[in-house]
Amino acid sequence: MNHPLPPETSDVPLAPGERLPKTQRDKLSPEAVAKIQAIASQFPDRMAGTLPALYIAQKEFGFLSLGAMKEVAAALGVTEGHVFGVATFYTMFRKKPVGRYHFEVCTNLCCALNGAAELLAKVIEKTGARPGEGPSPDGLWSVDEVECLASCGSGPCIQINHGVFDEFVDEAKLEALMDACRRGETAAWGE
Amino acid sequence: MAAIRTKPDHQLYTFEGFGSSKYPNLMLRGAGDLHNWHLKVYTEKWEGYEACRKALKMEPAAVTAEVKASDLRGRGGAGFRTGMKWGFMPKDTPERKVTRYLVCNGDEGEPGTFKDRAILEYNPHQLIEGMVIAGWAMQCRTGFIYLRGEFSWLIDKLEAALQEARDAGFLGKDILGTGWDFDILTYRGAGAYICGEETALLNSLEGRRGEPRVKPPFPASVGAFGQPTTVNNVETLAAVAPILRMGGHAYAQLGTPGNTGTRIYGLSGHVKRPGLYELPLGLPMDFILNDLGGGSSTGRKLKAVIPGGSSAPVFDAKDFDCPMDFDTVKARGSMAGSGGMIVMDESTCMVQALLRLTHFYAHESCGQCTPCREGCNWMEMILHRLEHGQGRPGDLELLASLPPRINLRTLCPLGDAACGPVESFLQKFRGEFEYHLEHKTCMVGAKSILPELVAAH
């Protein structure tokens, strides 16, 4: 939060007055634009659609590049600066790509007391991905260390692609989870 | 792929006597049963929407009076009286019709707190019913349920429950023939703890950065979209239907005077039976820890408990007999907060535990106010030095000097929340901090709980 755009983001931050790059990849589908506009119209102020719209864009593109943020601004009819400010404030809006299965390991105190640090080390060892360093070489995994996931009574816990909490995770359970991902039984990022 | 869970839950929700008149079960009814969330189960098994029917036959002011009679205090942390809060909402006048909003705060992010999640997962209709009653009492036009972003796995279920309520006529146009229209929208946050603060939540709901607003004006005058708004926690709103069903005065018989009703305590950390326990307020902490929680999970003695979510000042063993209600916990120097109890045994290094908590606040500070933004990071830096054997002479004095410079000097209580643990850990476990400073190592020889230290070995 309240961090500038990370340097490893896919786009170079713009110089004052410079125009945003236009790439084919950053075009929202007509369905997504329609969905954004439908959501925005539910609220007294269209700006309230910003967070839902960013989620929709993130689902389409896998992460939020500057081009994607520009598309969101256009779909909502708000300024690009506003969308950029919001997208960079919240941690769940990814400014760089993640793996097909994004593992978020809670390392806050309650989980830490029950072995979250060891679990994170195992996740790093088994996936080959490190927190904050993007996907593993095969593109299958990425890992983040996150703050409390509200699963304190059953920690340590991992969330996969913002799906379901998996509670009391140990090494055997982690293996089983990764196997389920490899078999496609868990929804991939963006599905 | 829908995110409705299909696997059983490990979470412990029941204990011997739970559901009896001694330990009434008002909010966790059916928790643990994956099918409990359906309207059919709620109406057939749990007297669903009876309170709503009763409330909508009453005058709105009489509903608020009933909640005032119950003396219900907000379960989000501050413990402010709910009926009084509802009373702050402006009324319509012949000259001016006011648009009012009700917002349910489901941005449950405080470490140690995991109660709202259970209500949302197993009893969403109880929350919806509570919101309809609250909406009627304050004559709101729309309700919003703001959920933390990580709860995306609950949104499908909540949306399905809302649709069931709409189809049954409890939401939408002309509810139960009263001529009153009220609907509820869900809104998903995106990973910012600060959005649990009511004005930051309102900014986020409006699609902005979740930065707290200057108060006054309070949300009851200028809230969501510039209109009068009441923000209540999930558990607070879930308590409204039982209050209307039982009657406010009967509800006030539960708990202790001034701290009425039941609340959900969350046990986590080094405890044998972690989980959620719904109990009347005022029961002693050691009863919850030992009789219900089974005591230490490690066989070692318990050293400390944080009684009300991570921002509550820590208790050491001499305070384990504290009755768990808002006023007594406050008188003992902590706060009942959100009811999340983090239990630590004697093998826990207090410097590490405090470093982890302070890192959380430093990470989650929104950055608007200098004392909080800089102060939390500064406290984390000093603790990091201590933990890594690089403490300097005067560090403890420097660390102790920071909370008074943060407390009450910020727009919202996040800075204060970061100070509670620092002040209390230093006060109650100072010996451990001094040992770290002097010997560059841990007094209790604790196993590391921090990822960076685990990775280093």
Side-chain angles (χ1 to χ4, degrees):
Chain A
M1 289 163 63
N2 66 303
H3 300 309
L5 195 67
E8 61 274 29
T9 189
S10 63
D11 296 305
V12 180
L14 302 177
E18 192 182 344
R19 293 181 69 82
L20 284 170
K22 274 193 173 179
T23 64
Q24 207 52 47
R25 250 186 45 68
D26 288 337
K27 274 277 167 243
L28 276 170
S29 66
E31 297 77 31
V33 172
K35 199 170 172 187
I36 287 171
Q37 291 180 344
I39 289 172
S41 67
Q42 290 181 303
F43 296 99
D45 180 351
R46 290 182 62 78
M47 194 182 268
T50 308
L51 271 73
L54 284 166
Y55 274 124
I56 290 167
Q58 180 163 273
K59 199 167 176 176
E60 284 239 328
F61 304 131
F63 73 105
L64 294 170
S65 62
L66 281 172
M69 293 178 204
K70 184 191 176 192
E71 284 287 300
V72 167
L76 274 174
V78 297
T79 65
E80 291 165 12
H82 164 74
V83 173
F84 179 80
V86 171
T88 51
F89 182 84
Y90 296 97
T91 54
M92 286 176 70
F93 295 132
R94 311 278 160 202
K95 271 68 77 178
K96 54 188 178 188
V98 296
R100 189 170 163 77
Y101 297 104
H102 184 59
F103 279 46
E104 293 179 302
V105 184
C106 170
T107 58
N108 212 306
L109 185 58
C110 309
C111 284
L113 291 170
N114 288 309
E118 287 86 350
L119 176 65
L120 179 65
K122 284 272 173 265
V123 171
I124 292 168
E125 178 196 328
K126 287 178 190 297
T127 59
R130 297 189 70 80
E133 288 186 12
S136 56
D138 58 6
L140 202 56
W141 317 107
S142 56
V143 178
D144 253 335
E145 197 183 324
V146 293
E147 296 299 351
C148 185
L149 291 170
S151 197
C152 316
S154 45
C157 62
I158 296 181
Q159 207 171 346
I160 303 170
N161 294 350
H162 313 306
V164 179
F165 291 111
D166 290 287
E167 300 150 333
F168 298 119
V169 179
D170 55 16
E171 192 169 355
K173 195 160 180 181
L174 175 63
E175 284 285 0
L177 281 172
M178 290 177 71
D179 285 340
C181 291
R182 288 188 191 100
R183 290 193 301 269
E185 290 168 14
T186 305
W189 180 261
E191 279 179 8
Chain B
M1 241 189 235
I4 293 175
R5 289 223 274 193
T6 54
K7 66 185 183 73
D9 194 345
H10 293 285
Q11 184 71 62
L12 186 76
Y13 295 106
T14 58
F15 52 92
E16 203 176 323
F18 185 51
S20 65
S21 58
K22 194 174 176 187
Y23 306 120
N25 174 9
L26 304 177
M27 286 174 292
L28 286 181
R29 297 176 309 172
D33 171 7
L34 284 172
H35 302 288
N36 197 66
W37 67 274
H38 286 289
L39 178 64
K40 193 168 181 291
V41 179
Y42 185 60
T43 49
E44 287 174 6
K45 231 172 147 177
W46 308 122
E47 310 150 275
Y49 290 97
E50 278 180 25
C52 177
R53 289 179 200 279
K54 183 178 168 184
L56 267 60
K57 287 184 186 130
M58 296 160 69
E59 282 296 313
V63 176
T64 303
E66 204 65 50
V67 174
K68 277 183 179 164
S70 76
D71 211 15
L72 174 69
R73 294 175 70 167
R75 303 296 195 233
F80 193 79
R81 284 180 163 75
T82 306
M84 193 187 288
K85 198 181 211 180
W86 290 9
F88 293 151
M89 288 286 265
K91 310 282 181 290
D92 287 342
T93 59
E95 304 82 51
R96 183 171 169 243
K97 278 240 177 286
V98 186
T99 300
R100 286 170 290 261
Y101 293 117
L102 171 67
V103 177
C104 167
N105 183 346
D107 191 74
E108 181 172 58
E110 176 100 348
T113 313
F114 51 107
K115 60 190 175 64
D116 298 344
R117 179 193 146 185
I119 294 168
L120 289 159
E121 182 165 20
Y122 296 110
N123 256 332
H125 279 289
Q126 180 147 331
L127 169 66
I128 295 164
E129 184 177 13
M131 285 187 74
V132 175
I133 295 166
W136 172 254
M138 292 176 273
Q139 289 293 291
C140 295
R141 176 190 288 186
T142 308
F144 297 99
I145 300 177
Y146 183 99
L147 286 184
R148 66 179 292 189
E150 292 87 343
F151 283 172
S152 55
W153 55 283
L154 283 173
I155 285 204
D156 289 350
K157 186 179 269 191
L158 192 56
E159 289 285 5
L162 286 167
Q163 196 51 52
E164 282 183 332
R166 279 185 205 110
D167 295 343
F170 297 117
L171 275 181
K173 296 262 179 239
D174 186 24
I175 298 173
L176 301 179
T178 54
W180 173 62
D181 303 340
F182 180 74
D183 207 343
I184 296 174
L185 299 175
T186 59
Y187 199 88
R188 186 179 163 203
Y193 165 75
I194 189 60
C195 291
E197 196 277 336
E198 62 178 0
T199 59
L201 185 151
L202 295 174
N203 264 344
S204 187
L205 181 68
E206 291 179 8
R208 304 171 198 276
R209 294 161 70 91
E211 290 167 336
R213 301 172 179 176
V214 179
K215 290 193 273 193
F218 290 91
S221 339
V222 181
F225 309 105
Q227 303 302 322
T229 303
T230 290
V231 183
N232 283 140
N233 172 262
V234 170
E235 194 188 346
T236 311
L237 288 164
V240 170
I243 288 169
L244 264 287
R245 250 197 328 267
M246 299 162 69
H249 290 291
Y251 184 87
Q253 297 306 304
L254 298 167
T256 58
N259 293 272
T260 58
T262 64
R263 77 173 307 185
I264 302 174
Y265 295 95
L267 275 184
S268 61
H270 292 144
V271 63
K272 204 175 281 176
R273 290 195 291 273
L276 294 171
Y277 297 92
E278 183 179 351
L279 298 163
L281 273 91
L283 290 168
M285 185 195 276
D286 47 18
F287 167 77
I288 302 171
L289 285 179
N290 299 314
D291 295 48
L292 302 181
S296 168
S297 59
T298 60
R300 289 182 286 261
K301 266 175 61 184
L302 297 182
K303 174 156 82 174
V305 173
I306 298 175
S310 64
S311 44
V314 69
F315 275 168
D316 56 11
K318 72 174 181 352
D319 281 316
F320 287 179
D321 61 344
C322 178
M324 291 300 289
D325 63 57
F326 289 102
D327 299 328
T328 317
V329 176
K330 189 177 176 186
R332 293 267 191 118
S334 186
M335 61 178 193
S338 59
M341 293 157 68
I342 306 172
V343 184
M344 292 172 267
D345 75 6
E346 60 188 358
S347 73
T348 311
C349 168
M350 288 292 142
V351 180
Q352 269 189 37
L354 182 59
L355 170 57
R356 186 60 193 82
L357 288 179
T358 309
H359 168 76
F360 168 72
Y361 289 107
H363 178 263
E364 295 298 332
S365 173
C366 82
Q368 270 194 123
C369 309
T370 307
C372 169
R373 184 186 64 241
E374 302 301 324
C376 292
N377 277 294
W378 198 359
M379 292 193 298
E380 188 195 358
M381 255 176 354
I382 297 167
L383 287 162
H384 191 273
R385 280 206 301 265
L386 282 172
E387 176 56 33
H388 289 73
Q390 296 154 358
R392 304 169 192 165
D395 264 354
L396 294 187
E397 290 71 24
L398 180 62
L399 184 60
S401 75
L402 293 174
R405 301 188 212 173
I406 300 171
N407 253 327
L408 306 175
R409 285 166 168 75
T410 51
L411 281 177
C412 87
L414 190 140
D416 309 358
C419 294
V422 171
E423 285 177 311
S424 60
F425 273 66
L426 267 180
Q427 183 199 342
K428 292 186 171 153
F429 301 99
R430 194 173 176 95
E432 285 195 40
F433 288 82
E434 286 170 347
Y435 193 94
H436 262 267
L437 188 62
E438 195 179 335
H439 299 275
K440 314 292 183 201
T441 183
C442 183
M443 184 166 141
V444 294
K447 184 177 79 139
S448 179
I449 59 169
L450 303 175
E452 65 206 80
L453 297 175
V454 167
H457 289 97

